[in-house]
Amino acid sequence: MPDHTDKQTFSDEDALEFHRSPQPGKISMAPIKPMATQRDLSLAYSPGVAVPVLAIADDVDKAYDYTSKGNLVAVISNGTAILGLGNLGHMASKPVMEGKAVLFKRFADVDSFDVEVKTTDPDEFVTVVKNIGDTWGGINLEDIKSPECFEIEAQLQDLLDIPVFHDDQHGTAIISTAGLINAAHIAGKRLEDLRVVLTGAGAAGLSSIGLMKAAGVRAENTVIIDREGVVYKGRPNVDQWKAAHATDTPLRTLEQAMVGADVVIGLSAKGAITKEMVASMAPNPIIFAMANPDPEITPEDVQSVRSDAIIATGRSDYPNQVNNVLGFPYIFRGALDVRARRVNHEMKVACAQALAALAREDVPDEVAATYRGRKLKFGRDYIIPTPFDPRLIWYIPPFVAQAAMDTGVARKPIEDMDAYRTQLRSRLDPSAALVQNISGAVRAAPNKRVVFAEGEETAVIRAAWGFKQAELGTPILLGREELIRKNAAEAGLNFDEMGIEIVNARVSEHNVEYTDWLYARLQRRGYLRRDVQRMINQDRNYFGAAMCARGQADCMVTGVTRNFNMVLKEVRRVLDVRERMIGLSILLAKGRTLFVADTSIHELPGAEDLADIAVQAAATVRRLGRNPRVAFLSYSTFGNPPGDRGEMIREAIRLLDQRGVDFEYEGEMPAELALDPEARTAYPFMRLSKDANVLVMPGIHSAAISTRLVQALGGATVIGPLLVGLERSVQIVSLGASVSEIITAATFAAYEEGAMGEEG
């Protein structure tokens, strides 16, 4: 296996398991038209399909109207430059290409699939793609080595009448140019006055310097450096791509070029830039050290010699990450929506300028919530938008589309740009960002100490390692150190490098303290001191919960080896209920995020219980950054047919009316009324302004059956049930939970504990 950066947040086995289970790969196809009846099949295939066939035969552009071509991109590679791993063959590139297809869908709702071409000959590659290229609305070339990638892209752009975009070149160029625009603004410098040095004259470097020139940097103010030194006019053995950027300069080394430079763009290798070079630069230097996984110079080293520097890297653990996902989804979204014939310089510059402009906008609450309310503000540490900014989908593509229209490469101009922005807002699946937003908020908040109670289990050890590596908090593994170390080694984890605390309850210095404290709590409930001593010594749920109660930890995750009810009883003997305790499941489906309550605590809740469940669920959903709209679900619709459970819900509604709560609620109603605006037209008195996103169930039976049924059918991802309402956040996963499920539960525990702390 290749070496990985020390910031990797998963083990090799985690990566293999992710790609292997529950089914291999990362993408699949789903029909977007009904296939339920004979008529459906006749329309989809024979004889109905003959009608669009004949229409397209008369006018090939009709393929955009009658097929998926207009929202379809191919991600194509021959595997000659996979990530930073080199030429590993076309099939080795397939996981990367599938990953790119997933990002297209996640960030811009662009459908795509991968094509791996079995040739390293550029002419053969061009021939293959040319002959199949009309299938798609655009082509994203990926992981093709330099300099062949330049010629391949140029030829295909000429041969095909659709956008052909090599992201390794242009993605980095667009994002770094956006960053340069803003960095220059902060430094008080004009683009045309900047002296720019590029180290790393590969595909990304040459494309970046080219786009920066298109944005306003003067060619005579640039110097590029490859492995042989400065690329100057007249230097022998320089290919045409580098020669196009050669300058008439006496400089011959990077060290010489950096003296007095305003900007250095690094796309080379770790350690290529030294502190001495940085110290020699002009005031307010702009340093983009974008080599991966390790930059040419670390921000810490830069700041040790230049406090006035503006720094960007290719890494997510530093401010100002130059991340290609900020570019390619939105370039293609805008290009596809005007049926562009190509992606030209003007469209790329427009994308860069739009990204720069977005970073200067006030950051909305949705983004601030990701950072636990810390307001991101345009400045030295925020010159590029974050990848999970929800505005990207509707802010960037209109600029790209407008540039395509202005330069005459658009087949279908957009007449109403405001309507287009509105349409873009509705494209993105809002559920996809929820877990990421929670993770971002946890990462940005004060560090939480999270107890992983079943610390000897291999899955728990791997989850704790991933949690720590993702910088989500400090994990504490409960168990015998010798066994934990043994299981960690068998999982391929170097425990000495993990930096994870191990606590053995039997020999802990807090053992007596916890025993005395818990005995005082339970002595009038039939427990002898020796009973409590045994509980603390031998049961990690009691010990872990006591750690939280006594302040040696903040929150806990457990349940891998024991069923939910047993764990809950144990935890409840140690921790009090802070407010109404409920189980809340999160259902992530296409286009929706639904919160379902109560899914684990109240078997048959009464009216008071239902009202409290609604209040607690709404408060939790609000802490997660959503505006709660509560629907009380039932088999009946506002009293029809009548029944005792329906009357119970109606009483809960009356109780909420009396309390004057600050969220929308309505009931009783079936699910289709809560989720379908068309169905609600028959009930004009309903108080829901939009579809409900919090569903209060009449009992555990209906809550558990509905969420598990949806999950079993593959219609959604279900997280939880999450336990809400204890004085300390404890999350109980299902028996045999996966590593990912344990990490998600631990992350939510840390998030909920932080949110409760903020509320006081």
Side-chain angles (χ1 to χ4, degrees), residues 643-658:
D644 291 341
R645 295 307 299 172
E647 179 54 40
M648 196 80 67
I649 294 172
R650 289 191 289 278
E651 177 60 23
I653 295 291
R654 287 191 285 269
L655 290 173
L656 289 180
D657 289 343
Q658 293 169 11

Side-chain angles (χ1 to χ4, degrees), residues 524-540:
R524 295 182 181 275
R525 301 187 204 174
Y527 290 87
L528 299 176
R529 192 180 191 285
R530 65 172 177 265
D531 298 327
V532 176
Q533 177 72 70
R534 186 167 52 250
M535 290 156 61
I536 291 294
N537 274 352
Q538 299 179 6
D539 194 303
R540 289 161 198 159

